[in-house]
Protein backbone atom coordinates (compact mmCIF):
# COMPACT_ATOMS: atom_id res chain seq x y z
CA UNK A 1 0.00 0.00 0.00
CA UNK A 2 1.40 3.39 -1.01
CA UNK A 3 1.92 5.63 2.00
CA UNK A 4 0.22 9.01 2.10
CA UNK A 5 2.23 12.24 2.00
CA UNK A 6 1.58 14.50 5.01
CA UNK A 7 3.04 17.53 3.20
CA UNK A 8 0.53 17.05 0.39
CA UNK A 9 -2.40 16.77 2.83
CA UNK A 10 -1.47 19.92 4.77
CA UNK A 11 -0.53 21.95 1.68
CA UNK A 12 -2.47 25.20 1.46
CA UNK A 13 -3.77 24.90 5.04
CA UNK A 14 -3.56 28.67 5.61
CA UNK A 15 -5.80 29.42 2.62
CA UNK A 16 -8.35 26.78 3.64
CA UNK A 17 -8.57 28.22 7.16
CA UNK A 18 -8.98 31.71 5.67
CA UNK A 19 -12.02 30.56 3.74
CA UNK A 20 -13.50 29.04 6.92
CA UNK A 21 -12.73 32.22 8.87
CA UNK A 22 -14.97 34.24 6.53
CA UNK A 23 -17.98 32.47 8.08
CA UNK A 24 -16.91 33.45 11.63
CA UNK A 25 -19.02 36.67 11.71
CA UNK A 26 -22.13 34.64 10.91
CA UNK A 27 -21.25 32.31 13.80
CA UNK A 28 -20.90 35.32 16.13
CA UNK A 29 -24.33 36.54 15.04
CA UNK A 30 -25.80 33.09 15.69
CA UNK A 31 -24.71 33.37 19.34
CA UNK A 32 -26.65 36.60 19.88
CA UNK A 33 -30.04 36.23 21.56
CA UNK A 34 -32.13 39.11 20.26
CA UNK A 35 -35.90 38.94 20.82
CA UNK A 36 -38.87 40.90 19.53
CA UNK A 37 -41.75 42.32 21.59
CA UNK A 38 -43.44 38.89 21.66
CA UNK A 39 -40.27 37.28 23.09
CA UNK A 40 -39.67 35.53 19.77
CA UNK A 41 -35.99 34.83 19.12
CA UNK A 42 -34.68 36.74 16.09
CA UNK A 43 -32.65 34.82 13.52
CA UNK A 44 -29.55 37.02 13.65
CA UNK A 45 -27.47 34.63 11.55
CA UNK A 46 -30.07 34.72 8.80
CA UNK A 47 -30.28 38.50 8.97
CA UNK A 48 -26.49 38.60 8.69
CA UNK A 49 -26.58 36.64 5.45
CA UNK A 50 -29.43 38.82 4.18
CA UNK A 51 -27.33 41.88 5.03
CA UNK A 52 -24.48 40.59 2.86
CA UNK A 53 -26.92 39.88 0.02
CA UNK A 54 -28.42 43.36 0.44
CA UNK A 55 -25.03 45.07 0.16
CA UNK A 56 -24.17 42.83 -2.80
CA UNK A 57 -27.39 43.81 -4.58
CA UNK A 58 -26.68 47.50 -3.91
CA UNK A 59 -23.20 47.03 -5.36
CA UNK A 60 -24.65 45.39 -8.47
CA UNK A 61 -27.18 48.21 -8.86
CA UNK A 62 -24.39 50.78 -8.35
CA UNK A 63 -26.14 52.30 -5.34
CA UNK A 64 -23.14 53.59 -3.45
CA UNK A 65 -25.04 55.49 -0.74
CA UNK A 66 -25.90 52.53 1.47
CA UNK A 67 -25.59 52.83 5.22
CA UNK A 68 -27.34 52.26 8.54
CA UNK A 69 -30.58 53.95 7.48
CA UNK A 70 -30.93 51.98 4.25
CA UNK A 71 -30.11 48.68 5.98
CA UNK A 72 -32.68 49.36 8.74
CA UNK A 73 -35.35 50.01 6.10
CA UNK A 74 -34.45 46.75 4.36
CA UNK A 75 -34.64 44.77 7.63
CA UNK A 76 -38.03 46.33 8.39
CA UNK A 77 -39.36 45.25 4.99
CA UNK A 78 -37.99 41.73 5.09
CA UNK A 79 -39.09 40.99 8.70
CA UNK A 80 -42.48 42.71 8.62
CA UNK A 81 -44.38 39.41 8.63
CA UNK A 82 -42.06 37.57 11.03
CA UNK A 83 -41.22 39.82 13.99
CA UNK A 84 -42.94 42.52 16.02
CA UNK A 85 -40.44 45.37 16.37
CA UNK A 86 -40.38 49.12 16.89
CA UNK A 87 -38.67 51.62 14.59
CA UNK A 88 -35.65 52.04 16.90
CA UNK A 89 -35.26 48.23 17.05
CA UNK A 90 -34.57 48.10 13.32
CA UNK A 91 -31.82 50.71 13.67
CA UNK A 92 -30.36 48.81 16.64
CA UNK A 93 -30.34 45.52 14.70
CA UNK A 94 -28.81 47.21 11.65
CA UNK A 95 -26.07 48.72 13.84
CA UNK A 96 -25.32 45.31 15.40
CA UNK A 97 -25.05 43.67 11.98
CA UNK A 98 -22.72 46.34 10.60
CA UNK A 99 -20.52 46.31 13.71
CA UNK A 100 -20.22 42.51 13.49
CA UNK A 101 -19.00 42.64 9.89
CA UNK A 102 -16.94 45.80 10.48
CA UNK A 103 -15.79 46.46 14.08
CA UNK A 104 -16.29 49.98 15.43
CA UNK A 105 -12.51 50.32 15.77
CA UNK A 106 -12.24 50.33 11.97
CA UNK A 107 -9.66 47.53 12.13
CA UNK A 108 -10.00 44.29 10.23
CA UNK A 109 -11.40 41.20 11.94
CA UNK A 110 -8.80 38.70 13.12
CA UNK A 111 -8.88 34.91 13.37
CA UNK A 112 -6.16 33.06 15.34
CA UNK A 113 -5.39 29.46 14.39
CA UNK A 114 -2.66 26.83 14.40
CA UNK A 115 -1.07 26.30 10.99
CA UNK A 116 -0.42 22.57 10.65
CA UNK A 117 1.49 23.14 7.42
CA UNK A 118 4.07 25.40 9.10
CA UNK A 119 3.63 23.97 12.65
CA UNK A 120 3.19 27.37 14.25
CA UNK A 121 0.43 29.61 15.56
CA UNK A 122 -0.72 32.34 13.18
CA UNK A 123 -3.36 35.03 12.95
CA UNK A 124 -5.03 36.12 9.75
CA UNK A 125 -6.96 39.30 9.02
CA UNK A 126 -9.99 39.76 6.79
CA UNK A 127 -12.52 42.47 6.03
CA UNK A 128 -16.18 41.86 5.12
CA UNK A 129 -17.45 45.46 4.94
CA UNK A 130 -15.51 48.63 4.25
CA UNK A 131 -16.43 52.31 4.35
CA UNK A 132 -17.38 53.81 1.03
CA UNK A 133 -18.42 57.44 1.38
CA UNK A 134 -19.43 59.90 4.11
CA UNK A 135 -22.26 62.45 3.92
CA UNK A 136 -21.20 65.43 6.03
CA UNK A 137 -24.58 67.15 5.66
CA UNK A 138 -26.50 64.25 7.27
CA UNK A 139 -23.56 62.73 9.19
CA UNK A 140 -24.15 59.36 7.49
CA UNK A 141 -21.47 56.75 6.89
CA UNK A 142 -21.94 54.53 3.84
CA UNK A 143 -20.55 51.00 3.46
CA UNK A 144 -19.89 48.48 0.70
CA UNK A 145 -18.67 44.88 0.46
CA UNK A 146 -14.92 44.39 0.67
CA UNK A 147 -13.13 41.68 -1.34
CA UNK A 148 -13.51 39.14 1.49
CA UNK A 149 -17.21 40.01 1.72
CA UNK A 150 -17.67 39.33 -1.97
CA UNK A 151 -15.87 36.01 -1.58
CA UNK A 152 -18.20 35.10 1.31
CA UNK A 153 -21.27 35.92 -0.79
CA UNK A 154 -19.99 33.82 -3.68
CA UNK A 155 -19.18 30.96 -1.28
CA UNK A 156 -22.87 30.79 -0.31
CA UNK A 157 -24.05 30.50 -3.90
CA UNK A 158 -25.30 27.19 -5.26
CA UNK A 159 -22.42 25.11 -6.62
CA UNK A 160 -23.10 22.37 -9.13
CA UNK A 161 -20.95 19.29 -8.55
CA UNK A 162 -21.25 18.49 -12.28
CA UNK A 163 -18.69 21.22 -12.96
CA UNK A 164 -16.11 19.82 -10.54
CA UNK A 165 -14.36 17.87 -13.30
CA UNK A 166 -14.04 20.98 -15.48
CA UNK A 167 -12.52 22.86 -12.54
CA UNK A 168 -10.06 20.03 -11.97
CA UNK A 169 -9.05 20.16 -15.64
CA UNK A 170 -8.32 23.88 -15.41
CA UNK A 171 -6.28 23.41 -12.23
CA UNK A 172 -4.36 20.52 -13.81
CA UNK A 173 -3.36 22.67 -16.78
CA UNK A 174 -2.14 25.45 -14.46
CA UNK A 175 -0.09 23.01 -12.39
CA UNK A 176 1.49 21.48 -15.48
CA UNK A 177 2.37 24.94 -16.80
CA UNK A 178 4.11 25.77 -13.50
CA UNK A 179 5.90 22.41 -13.37
CA UNK A 180 4.11 21.27 -10.18
CA UNK A 181 4.05 17.61 -11.16
CA UNK A 182 3.28 16.25 -7.67
CA UNK A 183 0.20 18.47 -7.42
CA UNK A 184 -0.78 17.55 -10.99
CA UNK A 185 -0.74 13.85 -10.15
CA UNK A 186 -2.96 14.49 -7.13
CA UNK A 187 -5.27 16.54 -9.33
CA UNK A 188 -5.63 13.59 -11.72
CA UNK A 189 -6.57 11.37 -8.77
CA UNK A 190 -9.28 13.86 -7.81
CA UNK A 191 -10.49 13.78 -11.42
CA UNK A 192 -10.78 10.01 -11.19
CA UNK A 193 -12.99 10.40 -8.12
CA UNK A 194 -15.13 12.95 -9.99
CA UNK A 195 -15.52 10.56 -12.95
CA UNK A 196 -16.57 7.76 -10.57
CA UNK A 197 -19.19 10.07 -9.02
CA UNK A 198 -20.56 10.92 -12.47
CA UNK A 199 -20.69 7.20 -13.30
CA UNK A 200 -22.77 6.56 -10.18
CA UNK A 201 -25.15 9.40 -11.02
CA UNK A 202 -25.57 8.06 -14.56
CA UNK A 203 -26.59 4.65 -13.19
CA UNK A 204 -29.10 6.30 -10.85
CA UNK A 205 -30.43 8.43 -13.72
CA UNK A 206 -30.89 5.33 -15.91
CA UNK A 207 -32.94 3.64 -13.20
CA UNK A 208 -35.04 6.77 -12.66
CA UNK A 209 -35.77 6.99 -16.39
CA UNK A 210 -36.90 3.38 -16.56
CA UNK A 211 -39.34 3.69 -13.67
CA UNK A 212 -40.30 7.37 -13.50
CA UNK A 213 -41.40 8.34 -17.02
CA UNK A 214 -45.19 8.36 -16.75
CA UNK A 215 -45.99 11.40 -18.89
CA UNK A 216 -44.66 13.51 -21.73
CA UNK A 217 -43.63 16.21 -19.21
CA UNK A 218 -41.27 13.87 -17.33
CA UNK A 219 -39.92 12.59 -20.66
CA UNK A 220 -39.09 16.14 -21.77
CA UNK A 221 -37.47 16.88 -18.42
CA UNK A 222 -35.18 13.83 -18.56
CA UNK A 223 -34.42 14.52 -22.21
CA UNK A 224 -33.24 18.02 -21.28
CA UNK A 225 -31.10 16.62 -18.43
CA UNK A 226 -29.44 14.12 -20.78
CA UNK A 227 -28.84 16.77 -23.45
CA UNK A 228 -27.14 19.04 -20.90
CA UNK A 229 -25.06 16.15 -19.55
CA UNK A 230 -23.96 15.08 -23.03
CA UNK A 231 -22.96 18.62 -23.98
CA UNK A 232 -20.96 19.02 -20.78
CA UNK A 233 -19.23 15.64 -21.23
CA UNK A 234 -18.34 16.56 -24.80
CA UNK A 235 -16.68 19.77 -23.63
CA UNK A 236 -14.79 17.84 -20.95
CA UNK A 237 -13.72 15.23 -23.53
CA UNK A 238 -12.32 17.99 -25.76
CA UNK A 239 -10.41 19.38 -22.78
CA UNK A 240 -9.04 15.89 -22.04
CA UNK A 241 -7.71 15.64 -25.58
CA UNK A 242 -5.99 19.01 -25.24
CA UNK A 243 -4.53 18.00 -21.87
CA UNK A 244 -3.16 14.76 -23.35
CA UNK A 245 -1.50 16.73 -26.12
CA UNK A 246 -0.12 19.23 -23.61
CA UNK A 247 1.32 16.43 -21.43
CA UNK A 248 2.85 14.78 -24.51
CA UNK A 249 4.53 18.03 -25.53
CA UNK A 250 5.80 18.52 -21.96
CA UNK A 251 7.25 14.98 -21.91
CA UNK A 252 8.95 15.47 -25.30
CA UNK A 253 10.40 18.79 -24.16
CA UNK A 254 11.83 17.23 -20.98
CA UNK A 255 13.27 14.34 -22.99
CA UNK A 256 14.91 16.77 -25.42
CA UNK A 257 16.59 18.52 -22.48
CA UNK A 258 17.92 15.18 -21.13
CA UNK A 259 15.81 15.57 -17.99
CA UNK A 260 15.28 11.80 -18.03
CA UNK A 261 19.00 11.47 -17.24
CA UNK A 262 19.56 14.50 -15.02
CA UNK A 263 16.33 14.33 -12.99
CA UNK A 264 15.03 10.80 -13.23
CA UNK A 265 12.36 11.38 -10.57
CA UNK A 266 10.83 14.32 -12.44
CA UNK A 267 10.74 12.38 -15.69
CA UNK A 268 9.16 9.38 -13.95
CA UNK A 269 6.47 11.70 -12.60
CA UNK A 270 5.57 12.99 -16.06
CA UNK A 271 5.38 9.39 -17.32
CA UNK A 272 3.05 8.52 -14.44
CA UNK A 273 0.93 11.58 -15.19
CA UNK A 274 0.68 10.51 -18.83
CA UNK A 275 -0.40 6.99 -17.89
CA UNK A 276 -2.93 8.09 -15.23
CA UNK A 277 -4.42 10.77 -17.47
CA UNK A 278 -4.93 8.18 -20.22
CA UNK A 279 -6.77 5.94 -17.76
CA UNK A 280 -9.05 8.74 -16.51
CA UNK A 281 -9.76 9.84 -20.09
CA UNK A 282 -10.70 6.27 -21.00
CA UNK A 283 -13.18 6.06 -18.09
CA UNK A 284 -14.59 9.46 -19.05
CA UNK A 285 -15.03 8.34 -22.68
CA UNK A 286 -17.17 5.43 -21.46
CA UNK A 287 -19.39 7.98 -19.68
CA UNK A 288 -19.83 9.81 -22.98
CA UNK A 289 -20.88 6.58 -24.70
CA UNK A 290 -23.15 5.71 -21.78
CA UNK A 291 -24.92 9.07 -21.99
CA UNK A 292 -25.39 8.68 -25.75
CA UNK A 293 -26.83 5.21 -25.15
CA UNK A 294 -29.24 6.62 -22.58
CA UNK A 295 -30.40 9.20 -25.11
CA UNK A 296 -30.76 6.81 -28.07
CA UNK A 297 -32.02 3.63 -26.42
CA UNK A 298 -33.24 3.93 -22.84
CA UNK A 299 -35.01 7.24 -23.25
CA UNK A 300 -36.65 6.34 -26.57
CA UNK A 301 -37.66 2.92 -25.19
CA UNK A 302 -39.29 4.60 -22.20
CA UNK A 303 -41.19 6.93 -24.52
CA UNK A 304 -42.40 4.05 -26.70
CA UNK A 305 -43.41 2.14 -23.58
CA UNK A 306 -45.40 5.17 -22.47
CA UNK A 307 -47.07 5.34 -25.90
CA UNK A 308 -48.06 1.66 -26.03
CA UNK A 309 -49.22 1.75 -22.42
CA UNK A 310 -51.61 4.54 -23.38
CA UNK A 311 -52.86 2.60 -26.39
CA UNK A 312 -53.45 -0.55 -24.37
CA UNK A 313 -55.21 1.40 -21.63
CA UNK A 314 -57.53 3.07 -24.16
CA UNK A 315 -60.82 1.21 -24.67
CA UNK A 316 -62.72 2.55 -27.68
CA UNK A 317 -66.03 0.92 -26.75
CA UNK A 318 -65.90 2.19 -23.20
CA UNK A 319 -64.43 5.63 -23.80
CA UNK A 320 -66.27 6.57 -27.02
CA UNK A 321 -69.12 4.25 -28.05
CA UNK A 322 -70.78 3.75 -24.67
CA UNK A 323 -70.44 7.44 -23.82
CA UNK A 324 -72.16 8.52 -27.06
CA UNK A 325 -74.96 5.97 -26.75
CA UNK A 326 -75.63 6.36 -23.03
CA UNK A 327 -75.46 10.17 -22.87
CA UNK A 328 -77.35 12.07 -25.60
CA UNK A 329 -75.04 14.76 -26.91
CA UNK A 330 -75.90 17.83 -29.00
CA UNK A 331 -74.74 17.94 -32.61
CA UNK A 332 -71.97 20.46 -31.89
CA UNK A 333 -70.48 18.27 -29.15
CA UNK A 334 -70.83 15.14 -31.30
CA UNK A 335 -68.68 16.77 -33.99
CA UNK A 336 -65.95 17.43 -31.46
CA UNK A 337 -66.00 13.85 -30.20
CA UNK A 338 -65.87 12.23 -33.64
CA UNK A 339 -63.52 14.72 -35.30
CA UNK A 340 -60.23 13.07 -34.18
CA UNK A 341 -61.33 9.76 -35.74
CA UNK A 342 -62.26 11.16 -39.15
CA UNK A 343 -59.96 11.63 -42.11
CA UNK A 344 -58.60 15.04 -42.94
CA UNK A 345 -60.58 16.70 -45.69
CA UNK A 346 -58.62 17.06 -48.94
CA UNK A 347 -59.66 19.32 -51.78
CA UNK A 348 -57.77 20.15 -54.95
CA UNK A 349 -58.60 23.49 -56.50
CA UNK A 350 -57.04 25.92 -58.93
CA UNK A 351 -57.79 29.61 -58.99
CA UNK A 352 -57.94 31.53 -62.31
CA UNK A 353 -56.68 34.57 -60.43
CA UNK A 354 -53.18 33.14 -60.72
CA UNK A 355 -53.28 34.19 -64.36
CA UNK A 356 -53.73 37.81 -63.36
CA UNK A 357 -51.24 37.77 -60.52
CA UNK A 358 -48.29 40.12 -60.60
CA UNK A 359 -45.47 38.77 -62.75
CA UNK A 360 -41.77 39.28 -62.08
CA UNK A 361 -40.05 40.54 -65.22
CA UNK A 362 -36.28 40.17 -65.15
CA UNK A 363 -34.05 41.62 -67.83
CA UNK A 364 -31.67 39.06 -69.34
CA UNK A 365 -28.84 41.54 -69.81
CA UNK A 366 -26.41 41.54 -66.93
CA UNK A 367 -24.17 44.50 -66.41
CA UNK A 368 -20.76 43.92 -65.01
CA UNK A 369 -20.21 46.01 -61.94
CA UNK A 370 -16.79 46.71 -60.66
CA UNK A 371 -16.48 45.72 -57.01
CA UNK A 372 -15.04 48.48 -54.86
CA UNK A 373 -14.26 48.62 -51.19
CA UNK A 374 -16.12 51.29 -49.17
CA UNK A 375 -13.86 54.06 -48.01
CA UNK A 376 -13.24 54.28 -44.28
CA UNK A 377 -14.36 57.42 -42.46
CA UNK A 378 -11.70 59.90 -41.51
CA UNK A 379 -11.19 61.12 -37.94
CA UNK A 380 -12.71 64.50 -38.85
CA UNK A 381 -15.88 62.84 -40.18
CA UNK A 382 -16.18 60.66 -37.10
CA UNK A 383 -15.76 63.65 -34.76
CA UNK A 384 -18.30 65.68 -36.73
CA UNK A 385 -20.83 62.85 -36.59
CA UNK A 386 -20.28 62.39 -32.82
CA UNK A 387 -20.75 66.14 -32.23
CA UNK A 388 -24.07 66.04 -34.08
CA UNK A 389 -25.18 63.07 -31.97
CA UNK A 390 -24.23 64.87 -28.74
CA UNK A 391 -26.30 67.89 -29.75
CA UNK A 392 -29.28 65.75 -30.71
CA UNK A 393 -29.10 63.76 -27.43
CA UNK A 394 -28.91 67.05 -25.50
CA UNK A 395 -32.02 68.34 -27.30
CA UNK A 396 -33.92 65.11 -26.53
CA UNK A 397 -32.92 65.35 -22.86
CA UNK A 398 -34.11 68.97 -22.72
CA UNK A 399 -37.49 67.97 -24.20
CA UNK A 400 -37.74 65.08 -21.71
CA UNK A 401 -36.93 67.22 -18.65
CA UNK A 402 -39.39 69.92 -19.73
CA UNK A 403 -42.15 67.30 -19.85
CA UNK A 404 -41.13 65.74 -16.50
CA UNK A 405 -41.49 69.13 -14.78
CA UNK A 406 -45.26 68.87 -15.25
CA UNK A 407 -45.68 65.25 -14.15
CA UNK A 408 -43.59 62.72 -12.15
CA UNK A 409 -43.34 60.20 -14.99
CA UNK A 410 -44.08 59.95 -18.68
CA UNK A 411 -44.36 57.23 -21.31
CA UNK A 412 -42.40 57.04 -24.54
CA UNK A 413 -45.62 57.13 -26.55
CA UNK A 414 -46.50 60.45 -24.90
CA UNK A 415 -43.11 61.80 -25.98
CA UNK A 416 -43.89 60.70 -29.56
CA UNK A 417 -47.21 62.59 -29.34
CA UNK A 418 -45.49 65.69 -27.95
CA UNK A 419 -42.94 65.74 -30.78
CA UNK A 420 -45.72 65.38 -33.34
CA UNK A 421 -47.80 68.18 -31.82
CA UNK A 422 -44.81 70.54 -31.68
CA UNK A 423 -43.84 69.85 -35.32
CA UNK A 424 -40.69 67.93 -34.32
CA UNK A 425 -41.67 64.60 -35.83
CA UNK A 426 -38.42 64.51 -37.83
CA UNK A 427 -36.59 63.63 -34.59
CA UNK A 428 -38.04 60.11 -34.44
CA UNK A 429 -37.36 59.34 -38.09
CA UNK A 430 -33.65 58.82 -37.40
CA UNK A 431 -31.85 55.84 -35.93
CA UNK A 432 -30.10 57.95 -33.29
CA UNK A 433 -33.44 58.79 -31.65
CA UNK A 434 -34.05 55.12 -30.86
CA UNK A 435 -30.41 54.54 -29.85
CA UNK A 436 -30.82 57.29 -27.26
CA UNK A 437 -33.69 55.51 -25.48
CA UNK A 438 -32.07 52.09 -25.75
CA UNK A 439 -28.87 53.37 -24.06
CA UNK A 440 -30.88 55.04 -21.27
CA UNK A 441 -32.91 51.88 -20.67
CA UNK A 442 -29.81 49.69 -20.67
CA UNK A 443 -28.09 51.92 -18.08
CA UNK A 444 -31.18 52.56 -15.91
CA UNK A 445 -31.04 53.84 -13.23
CA UNK A 446 -28.84 56.47 -14.85
CA UNK A 447 -27.32 59.60 -13.40
CA UNK A 448 -24.57 62.00 -14.36
CA UNK A 449 -21.96 60.39 -12.13
CA UNK A 450 -22.54 56.87 -13.48
CA UNK A 451 -21.73 57.75 -17.09
CA UNK A 452 -18.84 60.20 -16.83
CA UNK A 453 -16.06 57.58 -17.00
CA UNK A 454 -17.84 54.92 -19.03
CA UNK A 455 -15.86 53.45 -21.90
CA UNK A 456 -18.80 51.81 -23.65
CA UNK A 457 -19.52 54.56 -26.17
CA UNK A 458 -21.81 56.40 -23.80
CA UNK A 459 -19.59 59.51 -23.80
CA UNK A 460 -21.96 60.73 -26.48
CA UNK A 461 -24.38 61.40 -23.60
CA UNK A 462 -22.00 63.74 -21.77
CA UNK A 463 -23.86 66.95 -22.65
CA UNK A 464 -27.26 65.32 -22.17
CA UNK A 465 -26.37 64.01 -18.71
CA UNK A 466 -24.83 67.33 -17.65
CA UNK A 467 -28.21 69.06 -17.72
CA UNK A 468 -29.64 66.13 -15.70
CA UNK A 469 -27.86 67.53 -12.65
CA UNK A 470 -27.95 65.48 -9.47
CA UNK A 471 -31.14 63.69 -10.44
CA UNK A 472 -31.41 60.26 -11.98
CA UNK A 473 -33.70 58.60 -14.52
CA UNK A 474 -35.50 55.29 -13.98
CA UNK A 475 -36.62 53.66 -17.24
CA UNK A 476 -38.79 50.53 -17.28
CA UNK A 477 -40.18 48.73 -20.30
CA UNK A 478 -43.77 47.74 -21.12
CA UNK A 479 -45.17 45.04 -23.43
CA UNK A 480 -46.52 47.39 -26.11
CA UNK A 481 -44.52 47.88 -29.33
CA UNK A 482 -44.46 51.41 -30.76
CA UNK A 483 -44.14 51.88 -34.53
CA UNK A 484 -44.62 55.57 -35.27
CA UNK A 485 -42.23 55.47 -38.22
CA UNK A 486 -42.26 52.67 -40.78
CA UNK A 487 -38.53 51.92 -40.61
CA UNK A 488 -38.18 51.62 -36.82
CA UNK A 489 -40.08 50.16 -33.90
CA UNK A 490 -39.35 50.26 -30.16
CA UNK A 491 -40.87 48.86 -27.01
CA UNK A 492 -42.99 51.14 -24.84
CA UNK A 493 -41.08 52.62 -21.88
CA UNK A 494 -41.99 54.49 -18.70
CA UNK A 495 -39.54 57.24 -17.73
CA UNK A 496 -39.45 58.53 -14.14
CA UNK A 497 -37.26 61.30 -12.69
CA UNK A 498 -36.01 60.89 -9.09
CA UNK A 499 -33.89 63.07 -6.90
CA UNK A 500 -30.59 61.53 -5.79
Amino acid sequence: MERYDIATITAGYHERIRRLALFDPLTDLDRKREKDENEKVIDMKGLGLLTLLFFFEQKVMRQYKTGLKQLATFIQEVTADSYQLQANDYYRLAGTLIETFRPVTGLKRTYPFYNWEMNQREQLEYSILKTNRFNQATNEQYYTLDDDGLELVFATREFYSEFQLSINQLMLRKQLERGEFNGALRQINEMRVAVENIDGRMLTLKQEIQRSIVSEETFDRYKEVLDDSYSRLQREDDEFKELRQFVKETKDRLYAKDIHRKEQKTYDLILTITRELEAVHYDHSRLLEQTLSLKNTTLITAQESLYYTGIEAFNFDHEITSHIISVPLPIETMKGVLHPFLQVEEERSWSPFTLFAEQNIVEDRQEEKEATMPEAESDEEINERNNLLRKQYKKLMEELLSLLKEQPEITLSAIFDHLTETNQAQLYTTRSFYDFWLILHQRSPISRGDMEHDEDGSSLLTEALYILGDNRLIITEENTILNRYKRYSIQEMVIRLEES
Side-chain angles (χ1 to χ4, degrees), residues 242-282:
E242 293 182 7
L243 283 173
R244 288 176 56 191
Q245 182 64 26
F246 185 79
V247 171
K248 181 179 180 300
E249 293 173 357
T250 303
K251 182 180 67 174
D252 295 341
R253 186 172 62 254
L254 293 178
Y255 187 84
K257 295 180 179 180
D258 289 338
I259 298 295
H260 62 290
R261 296 178 180 176
K262 301 175 182 177
E263 299 181 16
Q264 183 64 35
K265 185 176 180 182
T266 301
Y267 192 74
D268 290 342
L269 272 176
I270 196 66
L271 291 178
T272 305
I273 289 172
T274 304
R275 184 173 60 254
E276 295 296 331
L277 186 61
E278 291 281 352
V280 175
H281 187 199
Y282 174 76

Side-chain angles (χ1 to χ4, degrees), residues 109-120:
R109 289 181 60 94
T110 58
Y111 188 86
F113 70 101
Y114 188 83
N115 191 337
W116 289 100
E117 182 182 11
M118 308 302 296
N119 285 323
Q120 62 183 16

Side-chain angles (χ1 to χ4, degrees), residues 250 446 458 472:
T250 303
I446 186 172
S458 54
R472 65 175 182 172

Side-chain angles (χ1 to χ4, degrees), residues 392-480:
Q392 184 174 359
Y393 288 166
K394 180 181 179 182
K395 179 176 177 58
L396 290 174
M397 183 63 76
E398 290 174 348
E399 293 289 339
L400 175 62
L401 294 179
S402 64
L403 292 174
L404 289 174
K405 288 181 180 179
E406 303 174 358
Q407 49 189 334
E409 64 181 30
I410 190 172
T411 61
L412 187 54
S413 56
I415 296 176
F416 274 104
D417 295 338
H418 170 73
L419 295 176
T420 304
E421 293 171 358
T422 56
N423 297 323
Q424 301 182 78
Q426 73 278 3
L427 289 177
Y428 59 76
T429 60
T430 60
R431 171 66 181 269
S432 57
F433 175 84
Y434 300 90
D435 290 340
F436 175 74
W437 298 109
L438 292 177
I439 294 174
L440 291 185
H441 176 263
Q442 181 185 15
R443 295 294 184 176
S444 175
I446 186 172
S447 62
R448 181 175 61 183
D450 295 335
M451 306 292 287
E452 286 178 349
H453 305 290
D454 199 350
E455 299 178 357
D456 196 19
S458 54
S459 59
L460 298 174
L461 293 173
T462 302
E463 297 182 8
L465 293 178
Y466 182 78
I467 62 176
L468 185 61
D470 296 330
N471 301 323
R472 65 175 182 172
L473 290 174
I474 310 294
I475 297 98
T476 56
E477 62 182 12
E478 301 290 336
N479 295 327
T480 310

Side-chain angles (χ1 to χ4, degrees), residues 332-346:
E332 294 77 7
T333 306
M334 187 69 73
K335 290 180 180 180
V337 173
L338 297 178
H339 190 271
F341 304 97
L342 302 178
Q343 291 185 348
V344 178
E345 181 182 359
E346 297 181 0

